[in-house]
Amino acid sequence: MTAKLIKGTEIREEILSEIEKEVKEIKEKHGKVPGLVTILVGENPASISYVTLKIKTADRLGFHEIQDNQPADVAEADLLALIDKYNKDEAINGILVQLPLPKHIDEKKILNAIDPDKDVDGFHPVNVGRLMIGGDEVKFAPCTPAGIQEMIIRAGVETSGAEVVVVGRSNIVGKPIANMMVQKGPGANSTVTIVHTRTKDLAAHCKRADILIVAAGVPGLVKPEWIKPGSCVIDVGVNRVGEKKSEKTGKMIPLLKGDVDFDAAKEIAGSITPVPGGVGPMTITMLMRNTLKSLKYKLGIQ
Ligand code: NAD
């Protein structure tokens, strides 16, 4: 059997055009567009490329966007003052601080200073709490888990009553996606197990999964014999395992592999996400959707 590919690149385009359409409608009716500020501290090349992509996407959607670059030695107090400024800025609906921050800055303090109603990354403790309560209480689900759930829904995978096994218990992927899948509602109502480095028999848990979500950061961790035939496999892992020549530019680019042995797994699973081109493109997409949501909450049109 060859699994159906769940392509994040295609789902991204679908969602971005939905957002673009809604942005136009809101602009016509209310004269407002979503406003997003990205704060980048220092010149970490990976952070620069993430921020550039976020800005480009926001631009394409007709958002008001500000890229606020700060030097690597910016004082913590100055960064807090900057966040305060954007918290009060009526034209800004989403504040994103690109992580990691330099060592002299307390990351937690910075993230907690963001107004929870502008926390489009969904990392503020208030939003983590809202996600735990579920239902109408949720304002911003964190972007990668939100993207995973959206892919599962759009791929038409049944989640109600499904055995979901999540490999990994991080605050940005494992714990929130497990929490989301157990809630009442569409794309959820699942029976969820979280497994991690201290789990006794990882294989036994994975083998019962109707939906297996893997976010461990270990290339090829999940073996083909751990996959239940016909199941849905969501591989969140992005691991640099070497370099390869780009077909487009001829330049050397990172060779990326997921946490699942894709070639073997696709012969067993019913549906599967590739790496790259699977979960990856969904994160920025959901950031854009959260920023739009933030404006809609403000306008009372949710
Ligand atoms: P993390 O290192 O914070 O957490 C990894 C989790 O996996 C831990 O809870 C750990 O207990 C578990 N784990 C690690 N090795 C294991 C093993 N051998 N057996 C069982 N459990 C194990 O990582 P993270 O931030 O959650 O990211 C996980 C992966 O997802 C990484 O490859 C990361 O690059 C990728 N990621 C991708 C996106 C995206 O595509 N948009 C976003 C976030 C993370």
Side-chain angles (χ1 to χ4, degrees), residues 144 167-170 172-173 196-197 202 215-218 221 236-239 279-280 283:
T144 303
V167 184
R169 55 176 162 181
S170 73
I172 64 163
V173 190
H196 47 79
T197 39
L202 208 57
V218 180
L221 172 70
V236 191
V238 180
N239 308 290
V279 175
T283 302

Side-chain angles (χ1 to χ4, degrees), residues 123 128 131 142 144-145 148 166-179 194-197 213-217 236 259:
F123 292 154
V128 176
L131 192 76
T144 303
I148 295 170
V166 178
V167 184
R169 55 176 162 181
S170 73
N171 287 327
I172 64 163
V173 190
K175 280 194 277 185
I177 187 62
N179 181 26
I194 305 182
V195 296
H196 47 79
T197 39
I213 301 170
V214 193
V236 191
D259 290 350

Side-chain angles (χ1 to χ4, degrees), residues 33-47:
V33 295
L36 176 68
V37 59
T38 47
I39 301 174
L40 172 67
V41 179
E43 286 173 7
N44 176 330
S47 295

